[in-house]
Amino acid sequence: MQTQTLRPTEDGFATAADILTHGGLVAFPTETVYGLGGDARNGAAVAGIYAAKGRPSFNPLIVHVADLNMAQEFAQFDTTALALAAEFWPGPLTIVLPVRPDTSLSKLVTAGLTTVAIRVPAHPVARALLSKFGGPIAAPSANPSGGISPTRAAHVRDGLSDRIDAIINGGKCAVGLESTIVMPDDDGVHILRDGGITTEQIAAIVNVHDTIETSHDAPTSPGQLASHYAPNARLRMNALIAGDDEHMIGFGEISGQINLSSSGDLTQAAANLFAYLHMADEDAQTLGKTKIAVAPIPMHGLGIAINDRLKRASAARD
Ligand code: TXA
Ligand code: MG
């Protein structure tokens, strides 16, 4: 199949919505990363997402909806979830909630769990597509399984070209890190994945439990694969200086061939992270280096999610 690139225009959205209606796959930008979208009610479309990514099929997907109303068609909201939605939607927060019993969602989307991960994205292109399509879109990050998450249309094309119907080109993703995933319980939330909304921001609204939840209901806690987001070159964290065989990504005063944020701004570093990993991987190859070294990133605010992604990218692989 040839992958078409669509522009974010009325025509582009109409074509994309039509592809989704017929069970096809469309990659589209969100404020976090590009998603690989399919109709969340169509089992064949959802199966196609797993196939295109080469993803282990036990990993459930995030359902993207236009607004809270549409979210309530599929998930049961308690007061905690409503407070979070009011504060952070549209935006990079995914909430894991009980699926409504009468749901039209494909069982494959939730991987057979009784909960669904749901979010309202903020990116204008994602919003326009959701409103044109008028239904729920299942979308993991639009990269081959285990690869670096895409923050540009070109990254999606590099990874999934000819495996999906279309890509809507909406430029760079502003946040650059996946959404934060939370799961509410009786007296607060568990954070299942750090991401674009910080723990501090969430704690200002609801109680945050400090243990990572490993729910009996969710066999796969998010990003459970230790090696994930992996570049081809090996990656070393907390590097102060590059070795001879290393291409270096700097941060703040610790410089490298490229710098995530020379002013030490974690928001800018998050937005650059995946694009710079892509770039460093290519440059390392060109320059005959076997490793990527990354300067220390402070462990607060968005730094926690950045370090989590780097740790996965540096984990040993077979
Ligand atoms: O920013 C994002 O969240 C991006 C954009 C495209 O929206 N999407 C994304 O999706 O990162 P994905 O599939 O790469 O990550 C979804 C994570 C997985 O780690 C999965 O295990 C978790 O969400 N997840 C999905 N449903 C779940 C559930 N019912 N319970 C627990 N975790 C769930
Ligand atoms: Mg992903």
Side-chain angles (χ1 to χ4, degrees), residues 53 55 140-141 143 149 178 193 228-229:
K53 283 181 65 84
R55 179 179 220 184
S141 51
N143 52 276
S149 295
E178 293 87 347
R193 176 175 76 183
H228 202 166
Y229 311 104

Side-chain angles (χ1 to χ4, degrees), residues 68-102:
L68 178 60
N69 264 343
M70 199 193 279
Q72 287 179 307
E73 281 178 40
F74 304 108
Q76 290 168 322
F77 282 67
D78 59 9
T79 50
T80 304
L82 287 173
L84 290 170
E87 182 70 20
F88 298 113
W89 281 1
L93 183 77
T94 295
I95 312 179
V96 174
L97 293 169
V99 188
R100 285 182 68 111
D102 53 346

Side-chain angles (χ1 to χ4, degrees), residues 232-279:
N232 293 312
R234 313 285 312 180
L235 188 140
R236 181 168 69 93
M237 295 173 67
N238 299 313
L240 300 178
I241 189 160
D244 287 345
D245 60 341
E246 289 179 332
H247 193 72
M248 174 107 180
I249 301 179
F251 177 79
E253 285 170 3
I254 308 222
S255 58
Q257 273 75 31
I258 40 180
N259 196 315
L260 286 170
S261 168
S262 40
S263 63
D265 176 353
L266 288 167
T267 304
Q268 188 184 22
N272 286 334
L273 179 68
F274 290 130
Y276 283 20
L277 283 174
H278 276 278
M279 247 187 325

Side-chain angles (χ1 to χ4, degrees), residues 3-264:
T3 303
Q4 340 175 24
T5 300
L6 302 172
R7 291 193 304 135
T9 58
E10 274 303 309
D11 275 2
F13 294 128
T15 306
D18 195 53
I19 292 170
L20 291 175
T21 301
H22 291 94
L25 303 184
V26 177
F28 62 97
T30 79
E31 69 280 21
T32 60
V33 300
Y34 274 73
L36 175 56
D39 184 342
R41 299 159 299 192
N42 180 335
V46 177
I49 295 175
Y50 291 120
K53 283 181 65 84
R55 179 179 220 184
S57 56
F58 46 76
N59 210 357
L61 305 178
I62 295 174
V63 174
H64 298 68
V65 290
D67 52 31
L68 178 60
N69 264 343
M70 199 193 279
Q72 287 179 307
E73 281 178 40
F74 304 108
Q76 290 168 322
F77 282 67
D78 59 9
T79 50
T80 304
L82 287 173
L84 290 170
E87 182 70 20
F88 298 113
W89 281 1
L93 183 77
T94 295
I95 312 179
V96 174
L97 293 169
V99 188
R100 285 182 68 111
D102 53 346
T103 189
S104 58
L105 290 178
S106 148
K107 285 267 179 288
L108 206 49
V109 141
T110 53
L113 300 175
T114 53
T115 52
V116 59
I118 199 157
R119 86 176 184 100
V120 177
H123 196 293
V125 171
R127 295 178 67 72
L129 178 63
L130 280 161
S131 99
K132 188 82 193 170
F133 177 55
I137 301 179
S141 51
N143 52 276
S145 189
I148 303 168
S149 295
T151 54
R152 312 263 196 284
H155 298 158
V156 180
R157 183 164 283 286
D158 289 348
L160 297 177
S161 198
D162 301 334
R163 297 208 224 162
I164 63 178
D165 298 285
I167 303 170
I168 308 179
N169 188 348
K172 289 190 212 175
C173 302
V175 178
L177 283 176
E178 293 87 347
S179 59
T180 300
I181 305 181
V182 297
M183 183 155 78
D185 67 7
D186 296 344
D187 59 343
V189 296
H190 292 275
I191 295 191
L192 302 186
R193 176 175 76 183
D194 292 304
I197 302 276
T198 64
T199 303
E200 291 92 322
Q201 286 174 289
I202 295 167
I205 309 297
V206 297
N207 179 36
V208 175
H209 302 300
D210 43 41
T211 52
I212 295 271
E213 173 81 337
T214 41
S215 161
H216 58 278
D217 194 29
T220 55
S221 97
Q224 79 295 17
L225 301 169
S227 166
H228 202 166
Y229 311 104
N232 293 312
R234 313 285 312 180
L235 188 140
R236 181 168 69 93
M237 295 173 67
N238 299 313
L240 300 178
I241 189 160
D244 287 345
D245 60 341
E246 289 179 332
H247 193 72
M248 174 107 180
I249 301 179
F251 177 79
E253 285 170 3
I254 308 222
S255 58
Q257 273 75 31
I258 40 180
N259 196 315
L260 286 170
S261 168
S262 40
S263 63

